[in-house]
């Protein structure tokens, strides 16, 4: 049987760093270097490697990920692997998932420990990602699985995975749904298929957002006694400081401090404003609490409910909706499907 043809696209990140003269890690390795570090890959697949960029994922842009999605769509391969930094993998993976509707595995992987350390995880993660891409169950269910992230021998839905620790090796988790599969010995053990109705519905509405211009979305994290002055600054500026939408990372089931409720309501009148749970993921409440900054009041006042999406994912979805030119009511419907 012929080996699957995999295309590896390297963006940069810790997995692609090397030490400079001072010993500090710099971007430097390309896709060929990553492949060369794992000789076993050639036994599993026919691998084509391409260096797309050499940047830390903290400096990637929405435009770059849209360009990457377009490139992926144009490739003839049995599976696609993207290597990048871990910092924004939970966002880029979700954006790719919104943009791609392919029936081949698309997998994002990365490294927490750089190549100069004694036990770097990059080569192991790349090998694991290749094994996942070659696995018959994964290939048969590729469309149903959506874009995946493979880290530390676990397979996650890119739509759900979160970076939950800044430095530890086990920095990734899907707290809401758990992993899709695990790698054990030489086996991929399937564990679940994701529920993707909301993503499919969003994709239908969003269509070809890739052609649109970038739409800055403010992410405002609600904390104890937050006075809402950044919102007031946005409202006072004639161009809203350049922002086209906002995500409020709200407390609990969808609450914000009462002292800034009026600012939030006026912000929602000025631009699509999504409320999303700062607790990491939803679903949030819809009809339990009364009061001017409760979920009942905020929903009635026109704030869009982010459902189970964590604030970073909600920001990605809102940017994509705005880029696609969707009107506020349609955006609210897209988010509503997320619960
Ligand atoms: N700052 C790096 C990046 O995201 C961290 C990493 O790759 O783990 O590119």
């Amino acid at each position: 049987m012929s080996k699957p043809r995999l295309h590896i696209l390297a963006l940069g990140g810790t997995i692609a760093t090397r030490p400079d003269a001072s010993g500090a890690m710099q971007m430097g390795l390309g896709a060929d270097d990553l492949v060369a570090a794992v000789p076993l890959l050639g036994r599993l697949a026919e691998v084509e490697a391409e260096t797309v960029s050499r940047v830390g994922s903290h400096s990637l842009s929405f435009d770059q990920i849209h360009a990457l999605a377009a490139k992926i769509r144009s490739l003839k391969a049995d599976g696609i692997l993207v290597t990048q930094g871990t910092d924004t993998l939970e966002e880029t993976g979700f954006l790719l998932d919104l943009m791609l509707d392919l029936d081949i595995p698309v997998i994002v992987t990365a490294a927490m420990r750089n190549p100069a350390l004694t036990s770097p995880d990059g080569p192991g993660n790349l090998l694991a990602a290749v094994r996942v891409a070659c696995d018959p169950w994964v290939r048969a269910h590729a469309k149903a699985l959506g874009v995946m992230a493979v880290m530390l021998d676990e397979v996650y839905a890119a739509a759900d995975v979160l970076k939950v620790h800044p430095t530890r090796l086990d920095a990734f988790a899907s707290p809401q749904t758990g992993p899709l599969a695990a790698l054990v010995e030489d086996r991929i053990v399937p564990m679940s298929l994701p529920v993707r109705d909301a993503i499919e519905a969003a994709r239908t509405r969003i269509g070809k957002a890739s052609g649109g211009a970038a739409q800055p979305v403010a992410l405002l994290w609600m904390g104890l006694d937050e006075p809402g002055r950044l919102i007031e600054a946005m409202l006072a500026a004639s161009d809203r400081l350049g922002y086209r939408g906002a995500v409020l990372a709200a407390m609990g089931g969808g609450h914000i401090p009462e002292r800034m409720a009026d600012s939030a309501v006026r912000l929602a009148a000025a631009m699509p404003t999504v409320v999303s749970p700062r607790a990491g993921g939803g679903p949030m409440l819809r009809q339990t609490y009364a009061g001017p900054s409760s979920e009942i009041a905020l929903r009635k006042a026109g704030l869009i409910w982010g459902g189970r999406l964590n604030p970073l994912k909600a920001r990605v979805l809102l940017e994509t909706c705005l880029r696609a030119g969707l009107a506020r009511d349609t955006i609210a419907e897209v988010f509503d499907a997320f619960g």
Side-chain angles (χ1 to χ4, degrees):
M1 217 172 60
S2 63
K3 290 183 278 189
R5 291 163 308 143
L6 303 184
H7 203 104
I8 299 181
L9 297 160
L11 302 188
T14 289
I15 194 170
T17 52
R18 62 180 168 206
D20 66 15
S22 75
M25 301 308 289
Q26 300 270 10
M27 294 302 141
L29 304 182
D32 288 336
D33 302 309
L34 303 186
V35 170
V38 195
L40 200 59
L41 295 189
R43 277 206 243 153
L44 301 173
E46 268 179 50
V47 174
E48 195 158 326
E50 182 178 346
T51 305
V52 176
S53 58
R54 294 173 200 256
V55 295
S57 75
H58 43 274
S59 299
L60 287 170
S61 67
F62 282 98
D63 283 349
Q64 280 170 295
I65 303 303
H66 281 287
L68 182 70
K71 177 184 269 295
I72 290 172
R73 270 188 234 108
S74 74
L75 293 171
K76 298 255 175 298
D78 299 316
I80 306 290
L81 275 73
V82 176
T83 63
Q84 64 158 89
T86 60
D87 287 350
T88 57
L89 189 153
E90 60 201 308
E91 294 160 87
T92 58
F94 182 43
L95 180 53
L96 287 175
D97 197 32
L98 290 168
M99 289 295 105
L100 297 172
D101 188 17
L102 304 179
D103 54 10
I104 57 168
V106 179
I107 297 169
V108 187
T109 193
M112 288 300 295
R113 293 171 62 81
N114 70 61
L117 294 170
T118 311
S119 52
D121 53 331
N125 284 340
L126 183 58
L127 177 60
V130 166
R131 286 175 55 204
V132 171
C134 295
D135 180 73
W137 179 80
V138 171
R139 292 178 67 186
H141 294 87
K143 208 177 172 86
L145 288 163
V147 174
M148 291 162 272
V150 171
M151 292 295 288
L152 203 59
D153 286 346
E154 295 210 305
V155 184
Y156 302 100
D160 279 308
V161 75
L162 302 179
K163 185 172 181 180
V164 294
H165 197 279
T167 51
R168 263 166 39 180
L169 209 50
D170 58 339
F172 285 82
S174 280
Q176 291 191 63
T177 58
L180 304 174
L183 289 96
V184 183
E185 299 170 337
D186 61 351
R187 291 167 292 137
I188 311 295
V189 181
M191 293 159 109
S192 61
L193 283 174
V195 175
R196 295 180 53 79
D197 305 42
I199 291 168
E200 301 301 342
R203 196 191 280 128
T204 307
R205 293 275 169 69
I206 289 163
K208 299 219 181 324
S210 298
Q215 304 286 321
V217 172
L219 174 54
L220 302 166
W221 205 266
M222 300 295 102
L224 183 72
D225 208 19
E226 165 61 46
R229 292 194 188 114
L230 286 174
I231 295 180
E232 287 303 327
M234 284 165 73
L235 290 168
S238 58
D239 67 345
R240 311 295 185 220
L241 301 180
Y243 287 109
R244 301 282 176 265
V247 172
L248 306 184
M251 292 136 163
H255 303 146
I256 61 175
E258 203 167 311
R259 65 182 294 196
M260 56 156 290
D262 177 60
S263 305
V265 168
R266 284 185 286 117
L267 184 67
M271 65 180 72
T273 302
V274 174
V275 175
S276 174
R278 75 170 195 179
M284 294 187 294
L285 300 173
R286 290 183 174 205
Q287 49 186 22
T288 298
Y289 290 99
S293 63
S294 70
E295 75 280 2
I296 293 176
L298 296 177
R299 281 169 60 78
K300 207 180 270 176
L303 284 102
I304 296 168
W305 232 230
R308 70 185 189 82
L309 289 175
N310 121 316
L312 290 173
K313 307 244 189 221
R315 180 172 169 275
V316 168
L317 182 58
L318 181 55
E319 206 277 351
T320 312
C321 288
L322 291 167
R323 191 180 277 257
L326 301 189
R328 189 216 160 276
D329 287 355
T330 312
I331 295 173
E333 280 170 28
V334 167
F335 275 93
D336 199 57
F338 284 88

